[in-house]
């Protein structure tokens, strides 16, 4: 059961982040096109992105990161680990 949950969370995290990367790339292209087309249209493009697209991208990114952290917890992956036991008895370098 635990292995199945690890696999499911890893798959959802990977595909979700891949989709978010594609969406953010498209948003970057929209900002580039807004820069090219000029002022009246660029305000509309940026307003649309800031109102309808980016809030959902932020929320989805946070949700997928929480899922990734949960996956790391299930796998017992330690990314940042402070180990002070090996430094006892050593002088400054």
């Amino acid at each position: 059961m635990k292995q199945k949950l690890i696999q499911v969370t890893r798959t959802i995290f990977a595909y979700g982040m891949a989709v978010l990367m594609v969406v953010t790339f498209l948003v970057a292209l929209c900002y580039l096109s807004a820069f090219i087309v000029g002022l009246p249209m660029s305000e509309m493009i940026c307003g649309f992105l800031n109102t309808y697209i980016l809030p959902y991208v932020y929320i989805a990114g946070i949700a997928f990161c929480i899922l990734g952290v949960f996956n790391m917890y299930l796998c017992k992956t330690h990314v940042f680990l402070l180990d002070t036991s090996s430094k006892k008895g050593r002088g400054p370098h």
Side-chain angles (χ1 to χ4, degrees):
M1 178 66 182
K2 183 178 176 181
Q3 287 301 102
K4 182 69 172 171
L5 191 59
I6 288 171
Q7 187 62 33
V8 167
T9 57
R10 181 179 295 148
T11 303
I12 293 172
F13 173 75
Y15 283 118
M17 292 306 274
V19 168
L20 286 180
M21 288 178 65
V22 170
V23 169
T24 54
F25 177 71
L26 294 175
V27 167
L29 289 178
C30 289
Y31 276 123
L32 181 64
S33 67
F35 179 74
I36 292 170
V37 297
L39 189 60
M41 191 64 144
S42 66
E43 288 178 347
M44 290 173 44
I45 293 171
C46 291
F48 175 79
L49 293 174
N50 288 334
T51 303
Y52 296 108
I53 305 295
L54 290 178
Y56 299 109
V57 170
Y58 297 147
I59 292 169
I62 291 168
F64 287 131
C65 285
I66 290 171
L67 191 63
V69 169
F70 180 66
N71 179 274
M72 290 171 58
Y73 171 75
L74 289 175
C75 294
K76 297 183 181 180
T77 303
H78 302 285
V79 178
F80 300 109
L81 182 64
L82 180 62
D83 185 16
T84 58
S85 64
S86 63
K87 294 184 180 183
K88 289 183 179 180
R90 299 170 104 187
H93 295 282

